[in-house]
Amino acid sequence: AQTVTQSQPEMSVQEAETVTLSCTYDTSENNYYLFWYKQPPSRQMILVIRQEAYKQQNATENRFSVNFQKAAKSFSLKISDSQLGDTAMYFCAFMKEGGYGNKLVFGAGTILRVKS
Amino acid sequence: NAGVTQTPKFRVLKTGQSMTLLCAQDMNHEYMYWYRQDPGMGLRLIHYSVGEGTTAKGEVPDGYNVSRLKKQNFLLGLESAAPSQTSVYFCASSPRAAQSWHMNTEAFFGQGTRLTVV
C-alpha cells in the first residue's frame, strides 16, 4: 500500500517571499502520478500541479513548481512570490498508474498562512 | 458549468439516524469517489465506483454504503450515524484512464458536506 507523508502541519510565509512544502511517499510502483491540491477556506479542492513519475523534468505552473526526486521519493512544492490568496491547506497526493479506479492517496495536509 | 455537485452542504444528525448524501457530476466521468476529511488525516477513501452499477470499498468503508444506479450519480448512505462519522465528506469524479501517459488523471471534487453527528 502507498503512503504519503507531509511532515509540516503548519507553515507561514511573508507576502512576496518563497516557501517550500514537503512531501514524501512510499511505494513499490515505478509508474505513478503525484499531485498537489489546494484547499482554501471555501473548502473547494483545487488541483495546483501534477507530476508524472516517468518525467524527469519538474512540473511548473506559473508561481508553483515542484522538486521531484524519484529515488528519494520526495515531491516538494515551491510557491514563489507568495500571495495572500495562497493561504490554504495544501495536500500532496499519489496515484498509481493503471491502478483500478485511479484512486488518490492523500497526505495529512499542510496549512499555509501568507502574512501581509 | 456545474462539475461535481454535492447535496446537502451541511447536516446535523442524531446518533442512530440515517441519511444519504447525493453526488452528481455532469462531465460523463466513469469513476466516482467518496472521501472523508478529518483533521490531521487528510482525505481518506470510503468507497468508489468505476462505472454504473459497480462499487468497491476504499480505505475506511465501515458504517457506509454506496450505490451508483446512474452514471452521473453516486450516493453515500449512513444507516445508523455515529459520532465517529462526524467529518467533512467529499465526492469526486475522474475520467477513465485510456492509455497510461496520455490520460487525464485529474479528479474533480465537489464542495464538500460538513456532517455533525451528536
Side-chain angles (χ1 to χ4, degrees), chain A residues 33 39 43-44 50 97 101, chain B residues 33 37 100 105 109 111-112:
Chain A
Y33 298 82
Q39 186 182 49
R43 223 165 53 197
Q44 183 67 47
R50 60 174 261 177
E97 183 192 300
Chain B
Y33 317 84
Q37 180 180 0
S100 56
T105 53
F109 286 81
Q111 289 204 295

Side-chain angles (χ1 to χ4, degrees), chain B residues 7-59:
Chain B
T7 309
K9 299 289 190 292
F10 302 92
R11 185 73 185 267
V12 178
L13 282 180
K14 293 182 179 180
T15 297
Q17 287 185 321
S18 64
M19 78 163 293
T20 300
L21 280 66
L22 172 64
C23 177
Q25 53 99 359
D26 61 2
M27 296 171 284
N28 201 36
H29 286 166
E30 291 289 339
Y31 298 163
M32 295 188 74
Y33 317 84
W34 277 106
Y35 290 89
R36 61 177 288 174
Q37 180 180 0
D38 302 290
M41 305 189 77
L43 280 74
R44 293 179 293 166
L45 183 64
I46 304 171
H47 286 281
Y48 64 103
S49 168
V50 298
E52 182 178 316
T54 75
T55 63
K57 293 180 180 180
E59 181 185 354

Side-chain angles (χ1 to χ4, degrees), chain A residues 10-40:
Chain A
E10 295 187 27
M11 294 193 71
S12 62
V13 63
Q14 286 295 128
E15 202 174 4
E17 294 188 346
T18 296
V19 63
T20 299
L21 308 184
S22 301
C23 173
T24 59
Y25 57 94
D26 186 28
T27 184
S28 58
E29 303 292 332
N30 189 51
N31 297 319
Y32 49 87
Y33 298 82
L34 295 164
F35 305 84
W36 279 99
Y37 279 89
K38 170 185 178 181
Q39 186 182 49

Side-chain angles (χ1 to χ4, degrees), chain A residues 53-109:
Chain A
Y54 74 91
K55 289 185 177 178
Q56 292 186 340
Q57 185 174 8
N58 289 324
T60 62
E61 288 287 342
N62 301 314
R63 298 182 294 107
F64 298 87
S65 62
V66 298
N67 182 4
F68 173 49
Q69 301 290 327
K70 191 173 183 179
K73 297 179 181 176
S74 171
F75 183 61
S76 60
L77 175 70
K78 185 172 82 171
I79 305 174
S80 304
D81 186 26
S82 297
Q83 301 175 0
L84 295 177
D86 295 333
T87 293
M89 174 80 87
Y90 287 82
F91 292 102
C92 178
F94 172 101
M95 179 192 295
K96 172 184 171 182
E97 183 192 300
Y100 184 71
N102 284 2
K103 301 182 292 293
L104 286 164
V105 177
F106 286 89

